[in-house]
Amino acid sequence: MATSKPPETPAFPLGFAEAPGIFQPATGTTAPGPAALAFTRRHPAGTSVPGGSSPNGSRDRLLERGPDALADHELLEMLLGFAVEPGAARPLARALIHRFGSFAGVLASPQQGLLETQGLSPHGVAALKLVQAAALRLARAEVIDQPVLNNWDRLMDYLTAVLAREKVEQFRVLFLDSKNRLIADEAQARGTVNHTPVYPREVVRRCLELHATALILVHNHPSGDPTPSRADIGMTAEIKAAAAVLGVVLHDHIVLGNGRFTSFRREALL
C-alpha cells in the first residue's frame, strides 16, 4: 500500500496567520509552531543569528534587567525577529531607527511610511502596529474610569502617547461622567497638517448618547507649537456654548505640541 508523503515544514518566516505557535496557538496542540521549530533548528540556543546578536542574550537581559537594559535598536531587533528572515532583523532595525529616530518613533510612524522601508514586509508592519496598539491600550487603561481631574499627569502621559507624534491634526473629545471619570475618549475628526474641521453639534450629540456631563477637548499641532490659534479659540467657545444648553460642562481644551501643551483653563481662555 502506498504511503502518503508527509508535508514539508514551511520555511521561516511565515505570515501571522500561517505561523501557529508564534502569533496564534496551533489548533489542537500547545507545541511550538513550524516557524518556531525552523528557527530553533537553524539557530540553536545560545548561538548568534547571522547578521545579528544572540537572540537569547537580548532576551535574558530583557527578563533579568528590564527593558532599559536594551538599546532601541535591540528592542526593535527582537520584535522584528518574529516577522522577518533570520539575519535581516538587525540591519532592518538599525535602518528604521536611523529613519524614524527612535523605537517610539518607529512604532508611531504612519503605516505607509513603514511599508516604503526596504525589507519591511506587511507582516513586519503589522507586528510594529500591534505593539503600538498594545502600548496605547495599556496607557488608556491607566485613565479610563478614573477621575481625570485628580490624575492630570497620568492623563497627559496618555494624551502625549496618543497624539504627540501624529503628522496631521486630530481632534479628540474626552467624555466624563458626573464624578469626572473618563467614560470615553474618541477621535472626532482628522484634518491636515494645520487644520481639523470640528462640528459642535456632533460633539453635543455624542454627549447625549454617552450620558456625559462634562468634556475635555484635545487636539494636536503637528508643527510642535501648542499655541492656540484664533480658530481654536472660536471653535472652543462654540462647543462650550452648545454644551452649556444641555448642562454639560467644558472643563478644558488641551493643545499638544512637541513635548509641550497648552491648557485653555490655565491660560484663562475658557
Side-chain angles (χ1 to χ4, degrees):
M1 179 182 295
T3 58
S4 60
K5 183 180 180 181
E8 296 182 358
T9 300
F12 181 89
L14 299 177
F16 292 167
E18 301 169 354
I22 295 183
F23 289 98
Q24 64 179 25
T27 304
T29 179
T30 57
L37 293 175
F39 185 84
T40 301
R41 286 197 299 272
R42 296 178 189 181
H43 307 293
T47 63
S48 295
V49 178
S53 57
S54 166
N56 286 351
S58 294
R59 180 201 64 193
D60 291 344
R61 279 190 291 138
L62 176 67
L63 295 178
E64 293 172 5
R65 297 161 54 191
D68 289 343
L70 300 180
D72 277 8
H73 72 272
E74 292 176 307
L75 284 173
L76 192 56
E77 180 183 345
M78 287 186 67
L79 174 58
L80 291 172
F82 292 108
V84 303
E85 292 285 351
R90 187 179 189 184
L92 183 54
R94 290 184 178 277
L96 287 167
I97 295 292
H98 177 74
R99 179 175 181 181
F100 297 108
S102 66
F103 181 76
V106 172
L107 295 184
S109 297
Q111 179 175 315
Q112 187 57 43
L114 292 171
L115 287 171
E116 292 170 356
T117 302
Q118 185 176 1
L120 187 60
S121 69
H123 296 317
V125 174
L128 296 174
K129 288 304 175 184
L130 178 64
V131 173
Q132 182 193 23
L136 292 179
R137 291 200 181 190
L138 283 171
R140 185 174 182 270
E142 295 292 322
V143 296
I144 198 70
D145 294 327
Q146 298 294 320
V148 297
L149 301 184
N150 296 331
N151 294 276
W152 195 255
D153 290 342
R154 189 171 294 175
L155 176 65
M156 293 309 304
D157 288 342
Y158 166 66
L159 294 174
T160 298
V162 172
L163 285 174
R165 293 179 176 83
E166 281 284 329
K167 302 302 182 184
V168 298
E169 276 202 13
Q170 182 183 136
F171 181 81
R172 305 184 73 90
V173 181
L174 309 184
F175 298 93
L176 313 179
D177 65 12
S178 59
K179 295 183 179 180
N180 289 323
R181 294 175 300 193
L182 180 64
I183 56 177
D185 164 29
E186 298 181 352
Q188 294 291 306
R190 295 175 185 268
T192 64
V193 294
N194 59 9
H195 175 69
T196 303
V198 180
Y199 304 100
R201 66 178 180 274
E202 294 299 320
V203 175
V204 172
R205 178 185 63 80
R206 191 62 177 144
C207 283
L208 292 174
E209 293 175 349
L210 294 172
H211 304 290
T213 59
L215 300 171
I216 295 177
L217 308 179
V218 185
H219 83 279
N220 63 307
H221 281 178
S223 67
D225 182 0
T227 303
S229 66
R230 288 186 179 181
D232 293 338
I233 295 172
M235 174 267 293
T236 303
E238 291 180 14
I239 293 178
K240 180 181 179 180
V245 173
L246 301 177
V248 176
V249 177
L250 177 59
H251 281 313
D252 210 338
H253 184 170
I254 304 297
V255 184
L256 289 165
N258 184 15
R260 299 180 293 157
F261 73 91
T262 295
S263 162
F264 274 50
R265 174 71 61 185
R266 294 180 184 180
E267 298 297 324
L269 294 174
L270 281 181

PDB file of all heavy atoms in Angstrom, residues 206-239:
ATOM      1  N   ARG A 206     -23.010  63.440  20.679  1.00  0.00           N
ATOM      2  CA  ARG A 206     -22.327  62.313  21.298  1.00  0.00           C
ATOM      3  C   ARG A 206     -22.426  62.379  22.821  1.00  0.00           C
ATOM      4  O   ARG A 206     -22.493  61.337  23.489  1.00  0.00           O
ATOM      5  CB  ARG A 206     -20.866  62.295  20.851  1.00  0.00           C
ATOM      6  CG  ARG A 206     -20.126  61.038  21.224  1.00  0.00           C
ATOM      7  CD  ARG A 206     -20.717  59.826  20.568  1.00  0.00           C
ATOM      8  NE  ARG A 206     -19.943  58.624  20.876  1.00  0.00           N
ATOM      9  CZ  ARG A 206     -20.474  57.434  21.071  1.00  0.00           C
ATOM     10  NH1 ARG A 206     -21.799  57.254  20.978  1.00  0.00           N
ATOM     11  NH2 ARG A 206     -19.708  56.389  21.340  1.00  0.00           N
ATOM     12  N   CYS A 207     -22.440  63.576  23.383  1.00  0.00           N
ATOM     13  CA  CYS A 207     -22.645  63.724  24.830  1.00  0.00           C
ATOM     14  C   CYS A 207     -23.957  63.082  25.264  1.00  0.00           C
ATOM     15  O   CYS A 207     -24.028  62.379  26.281  1.00  0.00           O
ATOM     16  CB  CYS A 207     -22.658  65.205  25.217  1.00  0.00           C
ATOM     17  SG  CYS A 207     -21.049  65.990  25.294  1.00  0.00           S
ATOM     18  N   LEU A 208     -25.010  63.336  24.484  1.00  0.00           N
ATOM     19  CA  LEU A 208     -26.318  62.770  24.800  1.00  0.00           C
ATOM     20  C   LEU A 208     -26.288  61.245  24.729  1.00  0.00           C
ATOM     21  O   LEU A 208     -26.872  60.562  25.582  1.00  0.00           O
ATOM     22  CB  LEU A 208     -27.368  63.322  23.843  1.00  0.00           C
ATOM     23  CG  LEU A 208     -27.688  64.816  23.981  1.00  0.00           C
ATOM     24  CD1 LEU A 208     -28.636  65.261  22.872  1.00  0.00           C
ATOM     25  CD2 LEU A 208     -28.275  65.120  25.351  1.00  0.00           C
ATOM     26  N   GLU A 209     -25.614  60.709  23.725  1.00  0.00           N
ATOM     27  CA  GLU A 209     -25.566  59.260  23.553  1.00  0.00           C
ATOM     28  C   GLU A 209     -24.823  58.576  24.696  1.00  0.00           C
ATOM     29  O   GLU A 209     -25.196  57.477  25.122  1.00  0.00           O
ATOM     30  CB  GLU A 209     -24.892  58.914  22.223  1.00  0.00           C
ATOM     31  CG  GLU A 209     -25.689  59.326  21.002  1.00  0.00           C
ATOM     32  CD  GLU A 209     -24.941  59.089  19.696  1.00  0.00           C
ATOM     33  OE1 GLU A 209     -23.718  58.798  19.752  1.00  0.00           O
ATOM     34  OE2 GLU A 209     -25.570  59.185  18.631  1.00  0.00           O
ATOM     35  N   LEU A 210     -23.777  59.233  25.205  1.00  0.00           N
ATOM     36  CA  LEU A 210     -22.950  58.639  26.256  1.00  0.00           C
ATOM     37  C   LEU A 210     -23.390  59.054  27.661  1.00  0.00           C
ATOM     38  O   LEU A 210     -22.816  58.588  28.644  1.00  0.00           O
ATOM     39  CB  LEU A 210     -21.483  59.037  26.053  1.00  0.00           C
ATOM     40  CG  LEU A 210     -20.805  58.502  24.795  1.00  0.00           C
ATOM     41  CD1 LEU A 210     -19.428  59.126  24.628  1.00  0.00           C
ATOM     42  CD2 LEU A 210     -20.690  56.984  24.844  1.00  0.00           C
ATOM     43  N   HIS A 211     -24.393  59.941  27.749  1.00  0.00           N
ATOM     44  CA  HIS A 211     -24.852  60.489  29.036  1.00  0.00           C
ATOM     45  C   HIS A 211     -23.698  61.186  29.758  1.00  0.00           C
ATOM     46  O   HIS A 211     -23.570  61.102  30.994  1.00  0.00           O
ATOM     47  CB  HIS A 211     -25.436  59.381  29.920  1.00  0.00           C
ATOM     48  CG  HIS A 211     -26.547  58.606  29.271  1.00  0.00           C
ATOM     49  ND1 HIS A 211     -27.790  59.154  29.030  1.00  0.00           N
ATOM     50  CD2 HIS A 211     -26.582  57.338  28.769  1.00  0.00           C
ATOM     51  CE1 HIS A 211     -28.556  58.252  28.433  1.00  0.00           C
ATOM     52  NE2 HIS A 211     -27.846  57.148  28.257  1.00  0.00           N
ATOM     53  N   ALA A 212     -22.868  61.864  28.994  1.00  0.00           N
ATOM     54  CA  ALA A 212     -21.745  62.590  29.576  1.00  0.00           C
ATOM     55  C   ALA A 212     -22.232  63.903  30.181  1.00  0.00           C
ATOM     56  O   ALA A 212     -23.159  64.534  29.669  1.00  0.00           O
ATOM     57  CB  ALA A 212     -20.699  62.871  28.503  1.00  0.00           C
ATOM     58  N   THR A 213     -21.588  64.309  31.268  1.00  0.00           N
ATOM     59  CA  THR A 213     -21.949  65.569  31.919  1.00  0.00           C
ATOM     60  C   THR A 213     -20.818  66.590  31.877  1.00  0.00           C
ATOM     61  O   THR A 213     -20.990  67.720  32.324  1.00  0.00           O
ATOM     62  CB  THR A 213     -22.337  65.324  33.386  1.00  0.00           C
ATOM     63  OG1 THR A 213     -21.236  64.726  34.072  1.00  0.00           O
ATOM     64  CG2 THR A 213     -23.551  64.404  33.476  1.00  0.00           C
ATOM     65  N   ALA A 214     -19.666  66.179  31.338  1.00  0.00           N
ATOM     66  CA  ALA A 214     -18.529  67.100  31.235  1.00  0.00           C
ATOM     67  C   ALA A 214     -17.636  66.663  30.081  1.00  0.00           C
ATOM     68  O   ALA A 214     -17.674  65.506  29.647  1.00  0.00           O
ATOM     69  CB  ALA A 214     -17.743  67.150  32.542  1.00  0.00           C
ATOM     70  N   LEU A 215     -16.822  67.603  29.616  1.00  0.00           N
ATOM     71  CA  LEU A 215     -15.954  67.359  28.461  1.00  0.00           C
ATOM     72  C   LEU A 215     -14.564  67.924  28.697  1.00  0.00           C
ATOM     73  O   LEU A 215     -14.395  68.909  29.421  1.00  0.00           O
ATOM     74  CB  LEU A 215     -16.516  68.040  27.204  1.00  0.00           C
ATOM     75  CG  LEU A 215     -17.894  67.673  26.683  1.00  0.00           C
ATOM     76  CD1 LEU A 215     -18.288  68.655  25.582  1.00  0.00           C
ATOM     77  CD2 LEU A 215     -17.877  66.254  26.163  1.00  0.00           C
ATOM     78  N   ILE A 216     -13.595  67.317  28.035  1.00  0.00           N
ATOM     79  CA  ILE A 216     -12.279  67.912  27.842  1.00  0.00           C
ATOM     80  C   ILE A 216     -11.956  67.752  26.366  1.00  0.00           C
ATOM     81  O   ILE A 216     -12.001  66.638  25.830  1.00  0.00           O
ATOM     82  CB  ILE A 216     -11.192  67.236  28.692  1.00  0.00           C
ATOM     83  CG1 ILE A 216     -11.467  67.461  30.181  1.00  0.00           C
ATOM     84  CG2 ILE A 216      -9.806  67.795  28.334  1.00  0.00           C
ATOM     85  CD1 ILE A 216     -10.476  66.754  31.102  1.00  0.00           C
ATOM     86  N   LEU A 217     -11.680  68.859  25.702  1.00  0.00           N
ATOM     87  CA  LEU A 217     -11.316  68.817  24.284  1.00  0.00           C
ATOM     88  C   LEU A 217      -9.801  68.688  24.173  1.00  0.00           C
ATOM     89  O   LEU A 217      -9.061  69.245  24.986  1.00  0.00           O
ATOM     90  CB  LEU A 217     -11.778  70.089  23.576  1.00  0.00           C
ATOM     91  CG  LEU A 217     -13.250  70.485  23.749  1.00  0.00           C
ATOM     92  CD1 LEU A 217     -13.533  71.785  22.989  1.00  0.00           C
ATOM     93  CD2 LEU A 217     -14.177  69.376  23.299  1.00  0.00           C
ATOM     94  N   VAL A 218      -9.348  67.974  23.143  1.00  0.00           N
ATOM     95  CA  VAL A 218      -7.915  67.770  22.941  1.00  0.00           C
ATOM     96  C   VAL A 218      -7.626  67.791  21.444  1.00  0.00           C
ATOM     97  O   VAL A 218      -8.354  67.166  20.661  1.00  0.00           O
ATOM     98  CB  VAL A 218      -7.435  66.418  23.513  1.00  0.00           C
ATOM     99  CG1 VAL A 218      -5.917  66.302  23.397  1.00  0.00           C
ATOM    100  CG2 VAL A 218      -7.883  66.227  24.944  1.00  0.00           C
ATOM    101  N   HIS A 219      -6.593  68.518  21.052  1.00  0.00           N
ATOM    102  CA  HIS A 219      -6.099  68.362  19.689  1.00  0.00           C
ATOM    103  C   HIS A 219      -4.607  68.665  19.650  1.00  0.00           C
ATOM    104  O   HIS A 219      -4.048  69.206  20.600  1.00  0.00           O
ATOM    105  CB  HIS A 219      -6.898  69.213  18.684  1.00  0.00           C
ATOM    106  CG  HIS A 219      -6.490  70.652  18.565  1.00  0.00           C
ATOM    107  ND1 HIS A 219      -6.890  71.623  19.451  1.00  0.00           N
ATOM    108  CD2 HIS A 219      -5.713  71.276  17.647  1.00  0.00           C
ATOM    109  CE1 HIS A 219      -6.396  72.788  19.095  1.00  0.00           C
ATOM    110  NE2 HIS A 219      -5.660  72.620  18.003  1.00  0.00           N
ATOM    111  N   ASN A 220      -3.980  68.264  18.579  1.00  0.00           N
ATOM    112  CA  ASN A 220      -2.528  68.415  18.457  1.00  0.00           C
ATOM    113  C   ASN A 220      -2.176  69.416  17.373  1.00  0.00           C
ATOM    114  O   ASN A 220      -2.960  69.674  16.450  1.00  0.00           O
ATOM    115  CB  ASN A 220      -1.888  67.063  18.117  1.00  0.00           C
ATOM    116  CG  ASN A 220      -2.365  66.536  16.778  1.00  0.00           C
ATOM    117  OD1 ASN A 220      -3.556  66.438  16.522  1.00  0.00           O
ATOM    118  ND2 ASN A 220      -1.432  66.171  15.901  1.00  0.00           N
ATOM    119  N   HIS A 221      -0.986  69.986  17.494  1.00  0.00           N
ATOM    120  CA  HIS A 221      -0.400  70.838  16.459  1.00  0.00           C
ATOM    121  C   HIS A 221       0.861  70.138  15.952  1.00  0.00           C
ATOM    122  O   HIS A 221       1.885  70.137  16.643  1.00  0.00           O
ATOM    123  CB  HIS A 221      -0.048  72.214  17.015  1.00  0.00           C
ATOM    124  CG  HIS A 221      -1.220  73.132  17.153  1.00  0.00           C
ATOM    125  ND1 HIS A 221      -1.109  74.413  17.674  1.00  0.00           N
ATOM    126  CD2 HIS A 221      -2.529  72.976  16.833  1.00  0.00           C
ATOM    127  CE1 HIS A 221      -2.297  74.999  17.675  1.00  0.00           C
ATOM    128  NE2 HIS A 221      -3.179  74.138  17.169  1.00  0.00           N
ATOM    129  N   PRO A 222       0.802  69.520  14.775  1.00  0.00           N
ATOM    130  CA  PRO A 222       1.980  68.818  14.246  1.00  0.00           C
ATOM    131  C   PRO A 222       3.213  69.706  14.099  1.00  0.00           C
ATOM    132  O   PRO A 222       4.336  69.202  14.066  1.00  0.00           O
ATOM    133  CB  PRO A 222       1.502  68.317  12.880  1.00  0.00           C
ATOM    134  CG  PRO A 222       0.018  68.178  13.034  1.00  0.00           C
ATOM    135  CD  PRO A 222      -0.377  69.319  13.912  1.00  0.00           C
ATOM    136  N   SER A 223       3.016  71.022  14.032  1.00  0.00           N
ATOM    137  CA  SER A 223       4.162  71.929  13.934  1.00  0.00           C
ATOM    138  C   SER A 223       5.019  71.896  15.186  1.00  0.00           C
ATOM    139  O   SER A 223       6.185  72.299  15.175  1.00  0.00           O
ATOM    140  CB  SER A 223       3.669  73.366  13.701  1.00  0.00           C
ATOM    141  OG  SER A 223       2.975  73.843  14.850  1.00  0.00           O
ATOM    142  N   GLY A 224       4.436  71.425  16.306  1.00  0.00           N
ATOM    143  CA  GLY A 224       5.160  71.378  17.571  1.00  0.00           C
ATOM    144  C   GLY A 224       4.867  72.543  18.486  1.00  0.00           C
ATOM    145  O   GLY A 224       5.185  72.510  19.669  1.00  0.00           O
ATOM    146  N   ASP A 225       4.245  73.609  17.958  1.00  0.00           N
ATOM    147  CA  ASP A 225       3.909  74.786  18.755  1.00  0.00           C
ATOM    148  C   ASP A 225       2.476  74.651  19.268  1.00  0.00           C
ATOM    149  O   ASP A 225       1.528  74.666  18.482  1.00  0.00           O
ATOM    150  CB  ASP A 225       4.026  76.048  17.890  1.00  0.00           C
ATOM    151  CG  ASP A 225       3.729  77.322  18.671  1.00  0.00           C
ATOM    152  OD1 ASP A 225       3.430  77.228  19.888  1.00  0.00           O
ATOM    153  OD2 ASP A 225       3.777  78.414  18.069  1.00  0.00           O
ATOM    154  N   PRO A 226       2.279  74.519  20.582  1.00  0.00           N
ATOM    155  CA  PRO A 226       0.931  74.316  21.116  1.00  0.00           C
ATOM    156  C   PRO A 226       0.122  75.594  21.328  1.00  0.00           C
ATOM    157  O   PRO A 226      -0.947  75.553  21.956  1.00  0.00           O
ATOM    158  CB  PRO A 226       1.208  73.621  22.455  1.00  0.00           C
ATOM    159  CG  PRO A 226       2.490  74.240  22.910  1.00  0.00           C
ATOM    160  CD  PRO A 226       3.310  74.462  21.658  1.00  0.00           C
ATOM    161  N   THR A 227       0.590  76.717  20.801  1.00  0.00           N
ATOM    162  CA  THR A 227      -0.143  77.965  20.972  1.00  0.00           C
ATOM    163  C   THR A 227      -1.478  77.895  20.237  1.00  0.00           C
ATOM    164  O   THR A 227      -1.517  77.612  19.040  1.00  0.00           O
ATOM    165  CB  THR A 227       0.661  79.156  20.419  1.00  0.00           C
ATOM    166  OG1 THR A 227       1.935  79.208  21.069  1.00  0.00           O
ATOM    167  CG2 THR A 227      -0.083  80.460  20.648  1.00  0.00           C
ATOM    168  N   PRO A 228      -2.602  78.133  20.918  1.00  0.00           N
ATOM    169  CA  PRO A 228      -3.909  78.061  20.249  1.00  0.00           C
ATOM    170  C   PRO A 228      -4.055  79.139  19.178  1.00  0.00           C
ATOM    171  O   PRO A 228      -3.594  80.274  19.349  1.00  0.00           O
ATOM    172  CB  PRO A 228      -4.900  78.298  21.394  1.00  0.00           C
ATOM    173  CG  PRO A 228      -4.139  78.013  22.644  1.00  0.00           C
ATOM    174  CD  PRO A 228      -2.723  78.394  22.365  1.00  0.00           C
ATOM    175  N   SER A 229      -4.687  78.785  18.089  1.00  0.00           N
ATOM    176  CA  SER A 229      -4.971  79.744  17.033  1.00  0.00           C
ATOM    177  C   SER A 229      -6.309  80.431  17.314  1.00  0.00           C
ATOM    178  O   SER A 229      -7.059  80.026  18.207  1.00  0.00           O
ATOM    179  CB  SER A 229      -5.043  79.032  15.681  1.00  0.00           C
ATOM    180  OG  SER A 229      -6.159  78.151  15.652  1.00  0.00           O
ATOM    181  N   ARG A 230      -6.603  81.473  16.532  1.00  0.00           N
ATOM    182  CA  ARG A 230      -7.901  82.134  16.673  1.00  0.00           C
ATOM    183  C   ARG A 230      -9.030  81.166  16.382  1.00  0.00           C
ATOM    184  O   ARG A 230     -10.084  81.193  17.028  1.00  0.00           O
ATOM    185  CB  ARG A 230      -7.981  83.338  15.718  1.00  0.00           C
ATOM    186  CG  ARG A 230      -7.107  84.519  16.131  1.00  0.00           C
ATOM    187  CD  ARG A 230      -7.358  85.706  15.213  1.00  0.00           C
ATOM    188  NE  ARG A 230      -6.560  86.866  15.602  1.00  0.00           N
ATOM    189  CZ  ARG A 230      -6.598  88.044  14.979  1.00  0.00           C
ATOM    190  NH1 ARG A 230      -7.409  88.199  13.913  1.00  0.00           N
ATOM    191  NH2 ARG A 230      -5.853  89.055  15.400  1.00  0.00           N
ATOM    192  N   ALA A 231      -8.820  80.293  15.384  1.00  0.00           N
ATOM    193  CA  ALA A 231      -9.839  79.290  15.055  1.00  0.00           C
ATOM    194  C   ALA A 231     -10.058  78.332  16.219  1.00  0.00           C
ATOM    195  O   ALA A 231     -11.192  77.939  16.509  1.00  0.00           O
ATOM    196  CB  ALA A 231      -9.428  78.527  13.801  1.00  0.00           C
ATOM    197  N   ASP A 232      -8.968  77.957  16.910  1.00  0.00           N
ATOM    198  CA  ASP A 232      -9.084  77.076  18.077  1.00  0.00           C
ATOM    199  C   ASP A 232      -9.937  77.739  19.161  1.00  0.00           C
ATOM    200  O   ASP A 232     -10.810  77.103  19.763  1.00  0.00           O
ATOM    201  CB  ASP A 232      -7.700  76.767  18.652  1.00  0.00           C
ATOM    202  CG  ASP A 232      -6.838  75.933  17.725  1.00  0.00           C
ATOM    203  OD1 ASP A 232      -7.395  75.244  16.842  1.00  0.00           O
ATOM    204  OD2 ASP A 232      -5.597  75.971  17.885  1.00  0.00           O
ATOM    205  N   ILE A 233      -9.667  79.008  19.405  1.00  0.00           N
ATOM    206  CA  ILE A 233     -10.382  79.733  20.460  1.00  0.00           C
ATOM    207  C   ILE A 233     -11.858  79.888  20.092  1.00  0.00           C
ATOM    208  O   ILE A 233     -12.753  79.672  20.924  1.00  0.00           O
ATOM    209  CB  ILE A 233      -9.728  81.106  20.695  1.00  0.00           C
ATOM    210  CG1 ILE A 233      -8.297  80.913  21.231  1.00  0.00           C
ATOM    211  CG2 ILE A 233     -10.555  81.937  21.668  1.00  0.00           C
ATOM    212  CD1 ILE A 233      -7.485  82.192  21.317  1.00  0.00           C
ATOM    213  N   GLY A 234     -12.127  80.224  18.824  1.00  0.00           N
ATOM    214  CA  GLY A 234     -13.517  80.392  18.393  1.00  0.00           C
ATOM    215  C   GLY A 234     -14.285  79.088  18.444  1.00  0.00           C
ATOM    216  O   GLY A 234     -15.448  79.051  18.896  1.00  0.00           O
ATOM    217  N   MET A 235     -13.686  77.993  17.978  1.00  0.00           N
ATOM    218  CA  MET A 235     -14.343  76.695  17.998  1.00  0.00           C
ATOM    219  C   MET A 235     -14.637  76.248  19.427  1.00  0.00           C
ATOM    220  O   MET A 235     -15.698  75.683  19.724  1.00  0.00           O
ATOM    221  CB  MET A 235     -13.468  75.675  17.274  1.00  0.00           C
ATOM    222  CG  MET A 235     -13.956  74.233  17.345  1.00  0.00           C
ATOM    223  SD  MET A 235     -13.211  73.345  18.734  1.00  0.00           S
ATOM    224  CE  MET A 235     -11.495  73.289  18.213  1.00  0.00           C
ATOM    225  N   THR A 236     -13.699  76.511  20.328  1.00  0.00           N
ATOM    226  CA  THR A 236     -13.886  76.136  21.730  1.00  0.00           C
ATOM    227  C   THR A 236     -15.074  76.883  22.335  1.00  0.00           C
ATOM    228  O   THR A 236     -15.887  76.296  23.067  1.00  0.00           O
ATOM    229  CB  THR A 236     -12.618  76.441  22.537  1.00  0.00           C
ATOM    230  OG1 THR A 236     -11.517  75.749  21.955  1.00  0.00           O
ATOM    231  CG2 THR A 236     -12.772  76.008  23.980  1.00  0.00           C
ATOM    232  N   ALA A 237     -15.204  78.150  22.032  1.00  0.00           N
ATOM    233  CA  ALA A 237     -16.323  78.946  22.547  1.00  0.00           C
ATOM    234  C   ALA A 237     -17.650  78.403  22.031  1.00  0.00           C
ATOM    235  O   ALA A 237     -18.649  78.347  22.774  1.00  0.00           O
ATOM    236  CB  ALA A 237     -16.144  80.410  22.154  1.00  0.00           C
ATOM    237  N   GLU A 238     -17.690  77.973  20.766  1.00  0.00           N
ATOM    238  CA  GLU A 238     -18.927  77.432  20.194  1.00  0.00           C
ATOM    239  C   GLU A 238     -19.328  76.126  20.884  1.00  0.00           C
ATOM    240  O   GLU A 238     -20.510  75.914  21.188  1.00  0.00           O
ATOM    241  CB  GLU A 238     -18.748  77.193  18.699  1.00  0.00           C
ATOM    242  CG  GLU A 238     -18.623  78.466  17.876  1.00  0.00           C
ATOM    243  CD  GLU A 238     -18.438  78.161  16.395  1.00  0.00           C
ATOM    244  OE1 GLU A 238     -18.678  76.997  16.003  1.00  0.00           O
ATOM    245  OE2 GLU A 238     -18.051  79.066  15.639  1.00  0.00           O
ATOM    246  N   ILE A 239     -18.357  75.251  21.115  1.00  0.00           N
ATOM    247  CA  ILE A 239     -18.667  73.985  21.777  1.00  0.00           C
ATOM    248  C   ILE A 239     -19.098  74.218  23.218  1.00  0.00           C
ATOM    249  O   ILE A 239     -20.037  73.582  23.712  1.00  0.00           O
ATOM    250  CB  ILE A 239     -17.450  73.040  21.722  1.00  0.00           C
ATOM    251  CG1 ILE A 239     -17.189  72.613  20.271  1.00  0.00           C
ATOM    252  CG2 ILE A 239     -17.661  71.819  22.611  1.00  0.00           C
ATOM    253  CD1 ILE A 239     -15.990  71.719  20.099  1.00  0.00           C
TER     254      ILE A 239
END
